[in-house]
Amino acid sequence: MATAPPPDGHQPVVVALPQYVCTVPQPNMMVHQSAVNVPAVQPSDGIIWSLVCFVYGNPFCLGLAALIFSIKARDRKVVGDLEGARRHGSTARTLNIVATVLTSVATLLTGIVLLALAFR
């Protein structure tokens, strides 16, 4: 069996594979190693959610704080500091969750009180 020569910069590695299935000894096989560059996952900054929390529901200025951290995360991502972008993005996400929950609870309670007063 003829094999093609390895590409430039690659050295073939000969590995003896264990014979578990076949009782007839097989010749050594060549294994080519190659590196795969996986691009880093870009952290999310949540800028849209922060803007929505800032404009429509901003309890205790949490929407403003989330917007500031989202902008910081976006700036860190542009600079190339992915760890800093993840940290600021995570803080913005937490603030957005808290602001959304507080706004939802306040809206729900307001609706319940208004309905109770209307049917009284």
Side-chain angles (χ1 to χ4, degrees), residues 25-80:
Q26 298 289 326
N28 292 338
M29 298 184 68
M30 291 181 64
V31 177
H32 296 283
Q33 296 177 348
S34 60
V36 177
N37 292 331
V38 179
V41 176
Q42 294 293 325
S44 92
D45 51 18
I47 191 84
I48 302 298
W49 191 6
S50 297
L51 281 170
V52 169
C53 284
F54 178 67
V55 172
Y56 292 113
N58 194 11
F60 308 114
C61 294
L62 292 174
L64 176 63
L67 183 62
I68 290 170
F69 275 101
S70 294
I71 292 170
K72 283 183 178 183
R74 183 163 284 197
D75 290 343
R76 291 288 173 189
K77 189 172 22 173
V78 168
V79 171

Side-chain angles (χ1 to χ4, degrees), residues 110-120:
T110 302
I112 291 172
V113 168
L114 289 177
L115 284 174
L117 291 176
F119 291 112
R120 188 158 67 129

